Amino acid sequence: MANIYDGAFRTILNDCRKLIIPVINEIFDESYTGDEEIRFFPNEHFLDQQDEAGKERITDTNFTVFGDVPKKYHVECESSLPDGRITIRLFEYDAQIALDEGEVTEETLTVTFPNTAVLYLRTYKKTPDKMKYVIVTPGGTVQYDVPIMKVQKYSLDDIFEKRLLMLIPFYIFSHENSFPEYNSNEQKLKKLKAEYQVILERLDGLEQRGVIGAFDKRTIIELSGDVIKEIAQKYKNVQKGVGDMMSGALIETSARTILNQGKSEGISETKKETALRMLKRGKMTIEEIAEDAGLSVSEVEQLAGLQTV
């Protein structure tokens, strides 16, 4: 079941990567504008362990935000009860990310650990406000916090005012404990549906004002429907009532069709803007920019020509 939620989290990040910026600002008290380049790195890492050599680990996100100073981030999505194992898993990921990108100069190994955080979809009494790493080395002890974002503590107003739009697919978790009531009480279910109608209307408003593109909006709606379908499996009235609203909002076209056919007005422009920022930095080849931005070499060459005009 958790794979559905992990998949939704990865999808919204990979397909609508700009939506992570307000979340990073919220968690790490950053002040990114949203115009920064974001570069994602492979999520697969192979851990060398005595009992399981070459064991593969897949992280939820591993990316760098190129602000005034480039910073690496690693964010995980978690829905299970905190039991200590996730802290070990996080450190394994972080150490491997640092080692994969480490540099050796004159027999000196330099590794940079990412800024790490966890998004908890469910909040239990045992859910802490933060985790902590304490690393004891021969040269001294290093310790730092790993912040936790508790998704259920954010109201709809919080989400829209802070532009934490990538939390919307998981907003249904805040109602999970009330599913039995919604399922048996039509009036209470009606109130839940009204709340989701407000979500759809506010997303429409953001699209009309150009805050988000059509593709971003449809991806949020599509993933919201996927999560509702999964979390409300035992509550057919909830699943049908709210889930059908999400499906109805996607009748004209699906987010995947827009992406595959390249018809989203926001997609090509975002790719071009990303390529232009890379060209201005002047640190990558045309071929590298084309690969990272998802454009053809000829398209990047045309953009480069426009810069020199």
Side-chain angles (χ1 to χ4, degrees):
M1 180 169 64
N3 289 338
I4 297 294
Y5 309 141
D6 291 343
F9 182 67
R10 292 193 187 106
T11 296
I12 199 167
L13 279 171
N14 290 329
D15 292 354
C16 313
R17 58 185 55 186
K18 286 293 184 182
L19 297 184
I20 189 61
I21 290 297
V23 174
I24 292 299
N25 285 342
E26 176 74 5
I27 295 174
F28 295 101
D29 196 27
E30 297 284 5
S31 55
Y32 294 124
T33 64
D35 294 327
E36 295 80 9
E37 176 193 344
I38 306 172
R39 191 180 305 170
F40 280 73
F41 296 91
N43 288 350
E44 295 80 11
H45 299 279
F46 292 88
L47 308 178
D48 292 326
Q49 299 177 340
Q50 289 183 342
D51 57 340
E52 297 180 89
K55 183 177 181 180
E56 183 180 19
R57 291 288 200 184
I58 299 178
T59 65
D60 280 352
T61 61
N62 172 22
F63 59 95
T64 295
V65 177
F66 291 87
D68 294 335
V69 177
K71 290 186 180 181
K72 292 195 294 185
Y73 294 95
H74 168 210
V75 182
E76 291 285 321
C77 176
E78 186 66 36
S79 61
S80 60
L81 181 71
D83 59 6
R85 287 182 293 182
I86 186 174
T87 311
I88 296 172
R89 191 168 77 244
L90 283 173
F91 184 77
E92 287 179 336
Y93 294 160
D94 289 346
Q96 197 62 52
I97 290 169
L99 189 58
D100 287 347
E101 301 174 20
E103 297 180 354
V104 178
T105 304
E106 296 181 354
E107 300 307 315
T108 298
L109 171 63
T110 301
V111 293
T112 302
F113 275 64
N115 296 276
T116 300
V118 182
L119 271 65
Y120 266 104
L121 304 183
R122 293 185 175 100
T123 301
Y124 302 91
K125 289 182 179 179
K126 289 180 62 176
T127 306
D129 293 324
K130 61 185 177 182
M131 299 176 181
K132 183 185 290 287
Y133 291 161
V134 179
I135 307 167
V136 181
T137 77
T141 298
V142 176
Q143 64 179 22
Y144 60 95
D145 294 334
V146 174
I148 288 175
M149 170 179 266
K150 298 177 181 179
V151 175
Q152 288 180 314
K153 86 168 192 176
Y154 290 90
S155 68
L156 274 186
D157 285 340
D158 292 333
I159 289 172
F160 280 96
E161 287 170 8
K162 296 183 177 184
R163 296 289 188 262
L164 304 174
L165 304 181
M166 65 166 289
L167 301 186
I168 291 176
F170 309 108
Y171 178 69
I172 192 66
F173 277 87
S174 65
H175 289 280
E176 186 178 17
N177 291 337
S178 300
F179 281 176
E181 292 182 75
Y182 296 147
N183 205 58
S184 60
N185 187 312
E186 187 175 343
Q187 286 302 113
K188 290 187 177 181
L189 179 59
K190 190 174 181 179
K191 289 183 179 179
L192 178 63
K193 291 170 65 177
E195 197 167 352
Y196 269 82
Q197 183 60 43
V198 169
I199 290 175
L200 294 174
E201 291 171 357
R202 294 181 78 165
L203 286 174
D204 284 341
L206 291 179
E207 181 191 8
Q208 291 168 10
R209 298 199 301 274
V211 177
I212 60 173
F215 176 77
D216 289 349
K217 185 189 77 172
R218 284 169 172 78
T219 299
I220 291 170
I221 295 171
E222 182 181 31
L223 294 176
S224 295
D226 291 345
V227 171
I228 290 167
K229 182 178 179 181
E230 179 64 32
I231 196 174
Q233 284 188 57
K234 298 179 180 179
Y235 304 95
K236 297 303 180 183
N237 291 336
V238 176
Q239 190 181 72
K240 180 175 175 59
V242 186
D244 284 359
M245 287 183 64
M246 298 297 104
S247 299
L250 295 169
I251 287 177
E252 293 184 3
T253 183
S254 71
R256 287 284 170 257
T257 300
I258 295 174
L259 178 60
N260 293 336
Q261 295 180 352
K263 291 182 179 178
S264 168
E265 68 268 22
I267 290 296
S268 59
E269 289 304 314
T270 298
K271 289 180 177 179
K272 289 177 182 178
E273 290 170 4
T274 298
L276 283 169
R277 287 196 295 271
M278 292 177 179
L279 285 166
K280 288 178 181 178
R281 292 178 66 235
K283 296 182 179 181
M284 300 172 67
T285 66
I286 295 293
E287 290 75 14
E288 289 172 334
I289 292 173
E291 181 178 355
D292 284 357
L295 297 171
S296 67
V297 171
S298 62
E299 287 175 318
V300 178
E301 288 175 340
Q302 289 177 357
L303 291 173
L306 290 174
Q307 278 198 315
T308 60
V309 174

